[in-house]
Each structure stands twice: as structure tokens, then as C-alpha cells.
Amino acid sequence: MIRFINIQRIFQAIFIFTFLVPAKLPAQENIPLKKSLYFELAGSGGFFSLNYEKFIFKSTQPQFTFRAGISIAPIDKNNGSGIVFPVMVNALFGKTAHKLEAGLGQGITITTKGHFFARATGVFGYRFQKPGKHCFFRVSYTPIVSYLVDFQYTNWFGLSIGYSFLQKQIK
């Protein structure tokens, strides 16, 4: 287990990857930009998480998204509770309302006792969002892999419901 590291640097990295990196990536002009907020029950953030998602590469196939979230989860009596930051890059495959979603990322955890954990996470699931509509639903398989001290693999599933904010097209 890695002891407490500089929390300010962790938050700076999360801020950079959440807001600055996706804003600098090239965008195609024929697809509206999308940002989403969604609630995920279980999934890569633990028992629940609130997530922000932004489309970064909007090619016709696949569409790539970046997501960052926050969750609070009980760990154990030695570590207390933890604040979990799931950070992922996902790809969406499909041209209609039905999409296959696959992605990889990290679940960064800082505990109330000052410990730091990082776990790899993935997502493989189904996403339903009608074209031009704001609400979406997702069900996914989200394994969590602990790899820093010892190797542990946990099968995990998630349900998400969210809202997309559609922006004006770039001309």
C-alpha cells in the first residue's frame, strides 16, 4: 500500500484530465458536441458515483468519451471511508440508439486515514440513447483490478441513468 501522497497534485491531475485535455483534442465539425452528467449505481466508482462525461473524438465510428466521477465508499476499519475518483476513456460503437460501450480507466481512492489506492477498471456494456434525446440508460460489466500490493480481480456490474447536454454545432 502506498502511503499518503500530495493530495493537491492528485486534484490538479484530475482537473487537467477532466477539463483541459478533452478541450484541446481535435473535433469534427459535423457532429454536435456532447457533455453528460449521470448517476451510476455500482459500477467503476464503487457502490454509487456521480459522473461527468465528454465526447472527445467524434468520428462516425467509434465515438470516444472521457469520463470522471466521484464517489464515497466504506473501505474497512483500518482505512476508514474513501473518496473514489473513477477516471475512464470509453468507446461507443453503433449508429442508432443502441450502442456497445467499452473502456478502460483507473479508480483513484483517497481514504479518510490518509491512504491512497489505485485500481484499474474497465467497462463493457450496453447504452441506450435515442439520437437527439437528452436522457440515456446504461447497463455494464465493470471489473475492478487491484494491482499495487497484490493482484485481486473483482467482478462488478453497474446501472447508469444520465442526461446529455447537446451544444450548438461548430461551423
Side-chain angles (χ1 to χ4, degrees), residues 20-167:
L20 300 181
V21 171
K24 300 287 183 193
L25 296 172
Q28 292 183 358
E29 297 180 1
N30 58 350
I31 298 174
L33 300 173
K34 289 185 181 181
K35 296 177 184 178
S36 302
L37 283 176
Y38 63 91
F39 177 78
E40 184 174 40
L41 181 63
S44 58
F47 295 111
F48 67 90
S49 63
L50 182 62
N51 297 275
Y52 167 81
E53 177 181 66
K54 182 174 182 178
F55 282 72
I56 49 178
F57 294 118
K58 295 171 297 300
S59 61
T60 55
Q61 280 298 317
Q63 295 175 322
F64 288 96
T65 66
F66 173 81
R67 78 172 252 201
I70 188 167
S71 176
I72 298 173
I75 308 293
D76 58 32
K77 67 180 181 177
N78 295 326
N79 293 302
S81 295
I83 300 172
V84 182
F85 300 97
V87 179
M88 300 185 74
V89 174
N90 296 339
L92 296 169
F93 301 91
K95 294 182 180 181
T96 64
H98 309 280
K99 292 187 175 19
L100 173 68
E101 183 169 9
L104 293 172
Q106 288 289 126
I108 301 163
T109 305
I110 302 169
T111 70
T112 54
K113 304 272 179 131
H115 297 102
F116 170 81
F117 299 97
R119 295 185 173 104
T121 185
V123 64
F124 185 77
Y126 167 75
R127 180 173 175 153
F128 177 78
Q129 183 175 15
K130 291 184 180 179
K133 298 296 181 181
H134 296 282
C135 293
F136 67 88
F137 170 78
R138 175 177 50 215
V139 60
S140 56
Y141 171 65
T142 56
I144 299 173
V145 180
S146 179
Y147 58 87
L148 288 178
V149 176
D150 60 348
F151 184 82
Q152 295 177 1
Y153 186 89
T154 305
N155 291 311
W156 202 247
F157 295 88
L159 291 172
S160 303
I161 186 163
Y163 186 86
S164 292
F165 301 94
L166 304 177
Q167 295 180 346

